[in-house]
Amino acid sequence: IFEFAPAPAMCPASKIPHQEEKKPTPSAREPHPCPTGLLSNVTISYVLRTLKKGLSGEAIEPGDTTLPPVHLRAGAVRDKATSLWAVEKKRPNPSFQKVLLALHRKEVACHLVCSMIVGLCSSVARPLALKFLIEASGKGDEGLKEAHLWLLCLAFTLVFEGFNMAHSKHFLFSKFGAGFRATTATLLQQKALVVSPGAAEAVSGPGLLGNDVAK
């Protein structure tokens, strides 16, 4: 009787050695590497974890910091920035600011709204609340309850003003700043990759690569 050895088990494609696994391309629905809740985003309190580690001297891991949203990264703005800048260059006076505003109008609009609220609080709401508080305090015991109400209004105005001031800077520097860096770096990289036809013959090419291209 012949005894046959069992056939070796097939190795699945994912287990084959020396095979490189393809990483999925990040998309708009990609989970955030450092997820934050609604309250953390509203109060911008997610930065406290990184500040606490930095002050205590602990090592800051990649998962401890928050990356810009997917729509503000270079991979998301590359195609739109290239097409918008190609159209803008055909105009007599091309403006890079128009490209930035077209790509990041949401962040700019939120910054302007928060700045307007800060201006209204500092120039209208706070002086009026302080005025009515002083008037109610001058009435003695009769205006004590009214004075307390205006004191609460003044405190709420100060907190609300500080909240919008923080978000105004957050939208300008963290949001729009990230989009500005991604857009500028993308267009500069594409410009650097463009080689002039006569760059190889000249000693120093007119492009950004210059001597490196000639060498």
Side-chain angles (χ1 to χ4, degrees), residues 14-210:
S14 59
K15 301 295 184 180
I16 297 177
H18 308 293
Q19 183 181 14
E20 297 181 357
E21 297 181 358
K22 295 182 179 181
K23 297 182 179 180
T25 305
S27 59
R29 296 183 179 181
E30 178 187 6
H32 201 284
C34 183
T36 56
L38 177 62
L39 184 61
S40 298
N41 285 322
V42 171
T43 58
I44 320 179
S45 59
Y46 54 83
V47 300
L48 297 178
R49 176 174 51 188
T50 306
L51 292 177
K52 182 179 179 181
K53 282 196 170 185
L55 292 175
S56 61
E58 299 181 19
I60 299 177
E61 302 295 336
D64 296 334
T65 57
T66 56
L67 297 176
V70 178
H71 71 279
L72 293 178
R73 301 180 193 177
V77 303
R78 178 175 58 246
D79 296 336
K80 294 182 180 179
T82 304
S83 59
L84 289 174
W85 181 239
V87 174
E88 190 67 25
K89 286 193 299 184
K90 297 178 181 178
R91 299 180 178 179
N93 297 318
S95 174
F96 183 63
Q97 288 80 1
K98 293 182 180 179
V99 176
L100 291 175
L101 291 177
L103 285 173
H104 313 296
R105 61 171 66 93
K106 177 182 176 183
E107 287 73 25
V108 175
C110 292
H111 164 69
L112 293 177
V113 170
C114 292
S115 299
M116 291 174 61
I117 294 176
V118 171
L120 290 175
C121 288
S122 61
S123 60
V124 178
R126 184 155 32 107
L128 287 177
L130 185 59
K131 173 189 174 183
F132 292 138
L133 175 61
I134 295 175
E135 292 179 354
S137 301
K139 297 178 182 179
D141 296 338
E142 297 179 357
L144 185 60
K145 184 177 180 180
E146 183 181 355
H148 288 165
L149 291 176
W150 286 115
L151 182 60
L152 290 176
C153 290
L154 180 60
F156 175 78
T157 303
L158 293 174
V159 173
F160 191 61
E161 180 183 355
F163 172 82
N164 283 276
M165 185 180 296
H167 273 273
S168 174
K169 296 179 180 180
H170 176 63
F171 278 110
L172 180 62
F173 297 109
S174 300
K175 301 289 187 179
F176 178 74
F180 172 79
R181 290 192 297 270
T183 306
T184 307
T186 298
L187 295 177
L188 284 177
Q189 182 188 24
Q190 292 183 356
K191 176 64 177 178
L193 295 176
V194 175
V195 181
S196 177
E201 300 177 359
V203 177
S204 60
L208 293 178
L209 297 181

